[in-house]
């Protein structure tokens, strides 16, 4: 029988992360969910019954917490087939320049961008042990400069400065990292879980085509 692949999903306590984790479980992955606080507690309960699911408490803004995650990954798993960077912080809707609080902006960059860099650095040796290692960075149209200039794009009038700029940084990072990884086995992808026709202003369903696009990446 085919050996289970191992996926690390950052956060799956809310919304989309949970749907991604379920799809991975359905497709022969062991899934490690890295979650914080209340999400950690509720996921830990939900996962008790699921054989291939493990939940680890991680705060992505804490180096100490990330070190503990590293220890678990290296000592109990020894390899990784998929890193799914899904965790996010989003706030500051409608804020103008005079309302921005720099500490909030930095916090969003910590979770949405710097944590991804740290996780890629941390897991690269484990990914190199897989036959077909992948990294998926979950992004948003709000971080796509061309979409945000297009008035017909449903989020184009959102002024979520910290969130949008952190996702734009993530997108550029993914492009640069893909170039670096090109000669290696590791592939890295940006994945926007909201296509325009499913863009429903804060309520997201995983549309059929988004689901299919995700499946193409994971199988
Ligand atoms: N939903 C949308 O409309 C939409 C659209 C486009 C793209 N996306 C992308 O899709 C992904 C998932 O979105 P979502 O709407 O499902 O997200 P969500 O419901 O906001 O969930 C994000 C999770 O990240 C966790 N998190 C935040 N800070 C953390 C930290 N310091 N340490 C550990 N975990 C932390 C949050 O935990 P807490 O619950 O404890 O805060 C939350 O459970 C994100 O990358 C997002 O950018 C979403």
């Amino acid at each position: 029988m085919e050996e289970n692949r191992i996926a690390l999903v950052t956060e799956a306590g809310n919304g989309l992360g949970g749907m991604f984790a379920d799809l991975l479980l359905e497709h022969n992955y062991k899934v490690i969910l890295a979650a914080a606080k209340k999400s950690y507690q509720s996921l830990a309960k939900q996962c008790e019954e699921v054989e291939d699911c493990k939940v680890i408490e991680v705060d992505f803004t804490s180096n100490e917490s990330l070190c503990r995650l590293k220890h678990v990954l290296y000592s109990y798993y020894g390899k990784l087939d998929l890193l799914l960077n899904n965790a996010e912080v989003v706030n500051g809707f409608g804020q103008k320049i005079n309302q921005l609080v720099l500490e909030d902006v930095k916090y969003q960059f910590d979770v949405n961008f710097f944590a991804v860099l740290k996780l890629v650095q941390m897991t690269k040796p484990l990914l190199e042990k897989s036959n077909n290692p992948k990294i998926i960075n979950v992004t948003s149209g709000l971080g796509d400069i061309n979409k945000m200039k297009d008035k017909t794009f449903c989020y184009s009038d959102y002024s979520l400065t910290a969130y949008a700029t952190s996702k734009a940084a993530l997108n550029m990072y993914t492009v640069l990292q893909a170039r670096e990884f090109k000669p290696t086995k590791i592939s890295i992808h940006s994945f926007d879980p909201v296509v325009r026709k499913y863009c429903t202003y804060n309520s997201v369903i995983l549309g059929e085509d988004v689901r299919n696009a995700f499946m193409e990446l994971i199988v």
Side-chain angles (χ1 to χ4, degrees):
M1 197 178 140
E2 196 195 336
E3 198 192 332
N4 275 127
R5 287 167 292 177
I6 301 168
L8 172 65
V9 180
T10 67
E11 255 302 338
N14 290 325
L16 297 165
M19 296 182 210
F20 294 140
D22 287 345
L23 284 173
L24 290 167
L25 284 167
E26 283 167 24
H27 289 84
N28 201 30
Y29 279 85
K30 274 187 197 298
V31 178
I32 308 159
L33 303 172
K37 300 175 222 149
K38 277 196 191 144
S39 296
Y40 166 74
Q41 284 160 12
S42 70
L43 281 172
K45 264 199 195 136
Q46 288 168 41
C47 276
E48 266 172 16
E49 311 285 310
V50 184
E51 196 189 339
D52 285 328
C53 188
K54 157 108 181 144
V55 188
I56 301 174
E57 188 165 18
V58 184
D59 175 353
F60 297 106
T61 62
S62 154
N63 283 334
E64 207 190 325
S65 185
L66 283 168
C67 277
R68 281 198 296 275
L69 171 66
K70 182 177 179 179
H71 175 74
V72 174
L73 293 176
Y74 278 72
S75 36
Y76 294 97
Y77 295 92
K79 77 149 183 163
L80 194 65
D81 299 284
L82 172 65
L83 168 64
L84 179 61
N85 288 306
N86 167 76
E88 63 147 8
V89 175
V90 52
N91 60 40
F93 181 79
Q95 284 184 343
K96 303 284 183 265
I97 183 68
N98 292 340
Q99 296 156 324
L100 283 181
V101 178
L102 213 56
E103 285 312 307
D104 289 347
V105 178
K106 284 183 182 169
Y107 182 70
Q108 288 184 66
F109 266 79
D110 261 354
V111 175
N112 298 351
F113 181 57
F114 295 124
V116 174
L117 296 190
K118 288 181 197 168
L119 281 159
V120 173
Q121 282 184 327
M122 193 174 108
T123 57
K124 183 171 161 273
L126 296 176
L127 288 161
E128 282 164 346
K129 295 199 175 147
S130 164
N131 293 329
N132 188 14
K134 290 175 183 176
I135 300 169
I136 301 175
N137 292 332
V138 181
T139 187
S140 163
L142 273 84
D144 180 324
I145 293 173
N146 287 329
K147 276 189 177 169
M148 290 301 278
K149 284 180 176 170
D150 175 356
K151 291 245 179 302
T152 64
F153 177 55
C154 61
Y155 293 137
S156 66
D157 62 346
Y158 276 36
S159 49
L160 281 160
T161 303
Y163 177 78
T165 54
S166 64
K167 289 291 185 182
L170 180 67
N171 291 343
M172 180 56 81
Y173 164 67
T174 308
V175 169
L176 299 178
Q177 192 60 72
R179 198 181 299 152
E180 181 192 325
F181 280 153
K182 201 154 190 222
T184 77
K185 286 184 292 183
I186 305 175
S187 62
I188 183 165
H189 312 266
S190 274
F191 187 77
D192 180 351
V194 182
V195 285
R196 194 169 299 172
K197 76 184 194 200
Y198 294 110
C199 197
T200 53
Y201 296 95
N202 290 331
S203 130
V204 169
I205 52 161
L206 209 53
E208 184 85 19
D209 46 358
V210 176
R211 199 185 153 91
N212 291 342
F214 184 73
M215 302 275 287
E216 265 179 41
L217 287 180
I218 63 164
V219 290

